[in-house]
Each structure stands twice: as structure tokens, then as C-alpha cells.
Amino acid sequence: MSLLVVGLSHRSAPVSVLERAALTVDAQAKLLHDTVAAEPAAESAVLATCNRIELYADVDKFHAGVAELSTLLALHSGVGLEELTPYLYVHYEDRAVHHLFSVACGLDSMVVGEGQILGQIKDSLARAQELHTAGRLLNDLFQQALRVGKRAHSETGIDRAGQSLVTFGLEQLAGREPVHAWAKGKRALVIGAGSMSSLAAATLARAGVDEVVVANRTLDRAERLAAILTEGGTGVAARAVPMDDVAVELTRADVAVSCTGATGLVLTAADVTAAVSGRVGDVRDVRSEVRDGHDGSVGCADDDCVIAPDTATPAPDTATPAPDAGGCPVGAQVGDENAYEQHAALVDNSPAVGGSSVRVARSVPAAVVPAARAAALYLLDLAMPRDIDAAAHRLTGVRLVDIESLADASADAPMAADVDAVRTLVSDEVAAFGAAQRAAHITPTVVALRTMAADVVNGEMARLDGRLPELGAKERAEITQTVRRVVDKLLHAPTVRVKQLASEPGGAGYADALRTLFDLDPETVAAVSRADLLSNAGGNAVGQLNQHQENDEPKRGRA
């Protein structure tokens, strides 16, 4: 059997495809069961996060395994196989191990070095164990991945290269302003009470917001999170509300973070419009300010608009005319909602906000354009599929950051020098894991050989008892010990050597050779494998195996 992973992530697929392919908890359970029910796979585990969906399996055939896993992913995600296939990646054996270890260390995350992925890997393993779809290989693999990830964070400076997705998202909302300065005095609404939402609530509390309101479909979970925040020593006021109160709470909030497991939108553009309109003076004041500034001569009063003019500065020769040849369309169409939509698009395209540069007929002083658009309501959507309608970013007075915009922003994030150290650590751990797995593959054969030798010794001693019934107990014990020492010495060199050879790449064939040379019963070897001697403690068979392994090792001084 061999390890195979088929999946898609933010590196291989656009967010729109990831969003459609997102798996609910129930869908993940069905996928796991269907995978182990398929012919090529014996074990399965699913790693599903906001930016990746990966199916791990222990398969006996590569091509059949790829075809089966791809088909099952398409079936349970609801995205057609033909549409999904171009975005899928496949890793096999050592490459699959390398991929998971890299993911565990945060090297493959949207924000390099983030540590939340470790909790998600742990949850994936727990789910596979609970559903009994993870066997020895995937248990060993995922547990080792967790250890490798912890090593990376404790032994290198990878933490300096990355941060949590929550922190990165809040930094994008805050722009050039430090998060703690931007958050101070704000009222926050957190929708959801899962791990990501809990982290968001705690991060906002530490950043200095005045209040955190937690909304969740299960009110008890929201109340527990609110109690933790209140007792956490941050001084923040926290309270819980049912999901039905989100619309009301949104009119009071300055920033809202949403991360739920909902399959549809939690906040539509209409919901956000109603919430912002319900804030006293927010939208009316902003739009009034824009209208007053767009009179054709003074120019746009919105500092984020890419054509906010400085009439004292001549236009560059390379400039091209702005829309409507007069700059921002609101200047000629006061009161026209379509004009405001175009104005919002110009703001979104501002280099300061993160869009592509728009050349205009009048220049904009650099000091005029802030790092991020000031807003009456800041929205952070960390869910996949998304919780908040993407159209909300066009609304005046609203700034929305979601997974898609985070992916774009993270592409330009600097990489720390410690990333190279983590890559080296991963390579070493992959080699060690591969050697251990190949050595473990031959262990059942070695145990079967030792068992056969013990049976031969016992049989010969029984025959000796029949021939020499007068033999004393002391003499019999001495003879038995002598025969066993002879057998151990004869088997020592070949068993030690075959373990060494089996741990090397391509060493799996040595187990077959050993079974053939000693005419071992395949059923006996299979029975040892089923007993899973390496991963279960206790029992006479395990004690016997440990004794044999100790005998196989060269004699060394004890530390």
C-alpha cells in the first residue's frame, strides 16, 4: 500500500472554485466512508480548511487511486469532474509526505508560517479516527506531521515570517495604521463561535476594542466564548446574542468578523446596506461629502478616489482621460446611484487600497491617498464558502476583506530567512519518516520468521523430552537456552541487515525475498500485520517482538 493525496488549494484554484468545492462536516464524513469503501483505498483522511481541500488515502494502485479519489472529490463537492480536474494536484508516497509536512509547518499556507493549520490537521486526524477510516499509515503520518509542525515553530523563526489569518485580515482592514490603534474604541461583532471565530474575538479583545458581541446559531457556545473573553483579563466587555439579532447588532458595530460553516450567505449586500443605512449619519454623511466635493471644479472629496484632484499640480504627459473626460462620474451625475457605483470602483482600484493603478487626467498627491479606505463599517470574511456577499465591497462606507483579497495581498508578503531552515527540517523529517515506514513494512516478516524459529526450537525440545525422559529440569533449561542462543545468533545478521536494506528507497522487495527464502506462511505474516504490533502496547507478542528487536541490535553500552 502507498500514500496518495489528491486535492486543491489557493495555490492551484481560484477562490470561486474553492468556495463551490467546500465540504460540510457531513459531506466530509460521507467522503471518508466512500473512500475506504472504494477498491483501491484502505485508509482515508480529509484535510478541509478555508483555503484547501485534500483527500489522503492508502492505496494499492496509483492510477486507479487517482481516478477514484478525484471522482469522489468531485461527487461530494458538487463541482463537476471535468471542471474540477484542472485545479487538482496529486502527490504520491514521499512527495505526499513532504506536502503534508510542509502544510503542517505553514509553508503552504496563504500566510506563510501561520500556526492555525496545526489545529486543523489535528481535527482531521480526530475525525478519521472517530469514523475508523484512519489506519496505521495515516495515524503515523498525521501524528508525525503535528510533531514536525511543532518543531518548526519551536526550533526556527518561522513565526516571524507569518501570522494567523485573522491577524493578517485585521492588518488589511487597518491599512498602514497599527491594528491596536485602529481597533481602539471600536465595537466588534463576531459571527460564529468556532476556532477561527474564537481566535478573531480574542485578537480583537487584545487589540483594544471596547466591546465584542458574539453571535452563533447555538447560543450556548456564544455565551461560553463571551464568558472566556470577559474573564480573560483584557478588560473588554463581551456578550452573546442569537443569530436572529445579527442585523440589529450590525447597525451598532464598527467591525464585523464572520466565519461560520453555513453553505449560503450569512450577510447579503442588502443586509449590509440596511445595516449601514441604519447607522446615524454614516452613509448620509459620506455620500453628502462626496456629492459636495464633485462639482466639476473642486474635485472629489473622497481621499481614496484615484482621481481626487490637486488642481495646482499639472497633469503628467502619460496621463489618460478619466471616465466621462471629467474625472469621477459623480461630478456630472450628482444623485445617480450608478455614478456612486463607478466612484466605488475607482476607489477600489486605488493603488493605496490595493487595486491596479488608474491613469487620470489630473495627478493625485501621494500624501492625499491613505493606506486603506476609511469606512463606517469594516467587514472581515474568513469563511469558505464566503459568509458575506462580495458585492458589499462596492457599498459606500463599507470596507470588506475576504479570503480572495487576502490571497492577493499575501502574494506580496515578505518571506523570512527562517523559511529555508524549515524546508531543510521538512526534508530531513520526510527522509526519516520514509525510512521508518519501510522498516516497519518488513517487521511483520521478521516477526513471522522469529515465530517460526521459536516453533522449531519448541518442537525439537519436545522431541528431546520424548527421547530423554530422565533429563533433569536444570539440564533441560540449559539445553533450551543454548539452542535458542544458536538460533538467535544465526538470525541476527540477516534480520538486522534486511531491516537496514528495507529502510532504503526501493527496499520493499526484501520482505518478499525473506518470505521466499524461509518459506514463510503468507497468512502468518498477514496476521502479524493485522495485529499492528508496532502501534499497540502490551501483550505477549509485543513483548516478544521488543525482545527480538533488542537482540537484533548490536550490543551497546547503556546510557
Side-chain angles (χ1 to χ4, degrees):
M1 304 295 282
S2 301
L3 179 65
L4 174 67
V5 55
V6 177
L8 66 161
S9 73
H10 64 100
R11 296 186 183 276
S12 69
V15 173
S16 58
V17 174
L18 281 173
E19 187 176 31
R20 291 171 53 208
L23 298 171
T24 64
V25 175
D26 289 341
Q28 292 178 42
K30 293 177 182 177
L31 175 58
L32 288 174
H33 284 306
D34 288 353
T35 302
V36 294
E39 182 180 349
E43 305 177 31
S44 66
V46 173
L47 178 58
T49 71
C50 58
N51 53 23
R52 75 177 64 252
I53 304 165
E54 297 176 345
L55 178 57
Y56 291 78
D58 186 9
V59 300
D60 57 2
K61 298 175 183 177
F62 172 73
H63 293 290
V66 171
E68 188 67 32
L69 266 60
S70 301
T71 301
L72 289 171
L73 272 176
L75 175 65
H76 289 279
S77 68
V79 180
L81 182 59
E82 291 186 359
E83 182 181 359
L84 192 65
T85 298
Y87 305 112
L88 294 177
Y89 48 76
V90 175
H91 298 298
Y92 190 56
E93 293 188 329
D94 283 354
R95 289 299 308 168
V97 177
H98 189 282
H99 174 73
L100 182 59
F101 287 5
S102 297
V103 169
C105 293
L107 293 179
D108 197 59
S109 297
M110 186 179 294
V111 181
V112 174
E114 61 94 8
Q116 289 171 264
I117 187 64
L118 286 174
Q120 294 161 336
I121 291 175
K122 184 178 180 181
D123 291 342
S124 297
L125 176 58
R127 185 178 302 110
Q129 290 173 334
E130 180 182 356
L131 297 174
H132 306 291
T133 63
R136 184 187 60 81
L137 176 60
L138 292 185
N139 270 296
D140 289 352
L141 175 69
F142 275 68
Q143 288 171 3
Q144 186 62 24
L146 291 172
R147 287 190 285 267
V148 173
K150 292 175 182 177
R151 276 196 63 193
H153 286 282
S154 64
E155 298 179 14
T156 74
I158 190 67
D159 289 332
R160 293 193 295 269
Q163 56 205 316
S164 73
L165 202 60
V166 171
T167 303
F168 190 60
L170 293 177
E171 286 183 353
Q172 296 305 302
L173 287 179
R176 293 176 188 166
E177 191 177 7
V179 172
H180 68 275
W182 165 82
K184 187 174 182 180
K186 284 184 168 58
R187 293 166 297 186
L189 170 64
V190 176
I191 306 174
S195 58
M196 189 77 79
S197 298
S198 299
L199 179 60
T203 303
L204 287 165
R206 289 193 298 267
V209 296
D210 277 355
E211 180 187 40
V212 176
V213 178
V214 182
N216 193 56
R217 297 190 186 280
T218 305
L219 185 58
D220 288 347
R221 295 189 64 184
E223 290 173 342
R224 284 198 298 269
L225 178 54
I228 292 172
L229 294 173
T230 303
E231 299 165 2
T234 59
V236 67
R239 56 189 176 88
V241 298
M243 287 292 288
D244 292 342
D245 290 353
V246 165
V248 175
E249 294 297 336
L250 199 60
T251 63
R252 301 178 63 253
D254 300 299
V255 55
V257 180
S258 185
C259 187
T260 72
T263 55
L265 292 175
V266 175
L267 294 176
T268 65
D271 294 333
V272 178
T273 300
V276 175
S277 299
R279 299 167 66 88
V280 180
D282 282 343
V283 174
R284 291 188 293 272
D285 290 347
V286 171
R287 289 193 172 178
S288 174
E289 183 183 60
V290 172
R291 284 195 295 269
D292 291 343
H294 286 76
D295 62 0
S297 59
V298 178
C300 177
D302 187 341
D303 287 345
D304 251 349
C305 184
V306 295
I307 60 168
D310 176 12
T311 54
T313 306
D317 295 337
T318 57
T320 56
D324 299 330
C328 182
V330 179
Q333 305 173 54
V334 175
D336 188 339
E337 291 297 323
N338 291 329
Y340 291 121
E341 287 289 327
Q342 295 177 47
H343 166 78
L346 290 171
V347 171
D348 290 335
N349 285 327
S350 167
V353 173
S356 56
S357 178
V358 179
R359 305 297 299 176
V360 296
R362 290 169 291 180
S363 64
V364 185
V368 172
V369 183
R373 180 174 59 199
L377 179 61
Y378 295 86
L379 302 175
L380 178 57
D381 185 0
L382 298 174
M384 182 62 67
R386 72 183 76 216
D387 280 348
I388 303 176
D389 193 339
H393 84 94
R394 297 191 181 94
L395 300 175
T396 304
V398 175
R399 176 158 172 76
L400 169 64
V401 170
D402 55 18
I403 292 293
E404 190 165 12
S405 58
L406 287 177
D408 294 338
S410 66
D412 299 325
M415 299 279 285
D418 295 276
V419 168
D420 290 335
V422 175
R423 287 175 177 155
T424 300
L425 184 152
V426 167
S427 297
D428 292 344
E429 288 283 358
V430 169
F433 183 83
Q437 289 297 308
R438 288 186 289 270
H441 179 71
I442 204 170
T443 297
T445 302
V446 172
V447 173
L449 175 60
R450 290 285 189 177
T451 302
M452 184 192 73
D455 290 342
V456 170
V457 171
N458 293 335
E460 290 302 316
M461 290 307 299
R463 290 179 61 190
L464 185 62
D465 288 341
R467 292 181 179 181
L468 301 174
E470 71 281 1
L471 190 65
K474 182 177 180 181
E475 290 78 8
R476 187 184 186 282
E478 185 63 33
I479 294 172
T480 302
Q481 187 64 26
T482 299
V483 174
R484 286 176 177 170
R485 278 198 299 266
V486 171
V487 172
D488 285 341
K489 288 182 178 180
L490 288 175
L491 292 180
H492 172 74
T495 51
V496 169
R497 184 59 179 151
V498 78
K499 287 181 180 179
Q500 293 172 344
L501 294 171
S503 66
E504 298 173 359
Y510 288 101
D512 296 331
L514 201 61
R515 287 192 293 268
T516 301
L517 287 173
F518 287 92
D519 194 23
L520 297 176
D521 182 7
E523 182 56 33
T524 302
V525 177
V528 174
S529 299
R530 286 194 296 269
D532 205 14
L533 298 177
L534 292 180
S535 59
N536 294 293
N540 294 332
V542 174
Q544 184 182 27
L545 172 59
N546 291 338
Q547 182 179 356
H548 288 324
Q549 289 178 327
E550 183 177 348
N551 291 336
D552 285 342
E553 293 298 325
K555 299 302 180 183
R556 300 186 182 132
R558 295 187 179 273

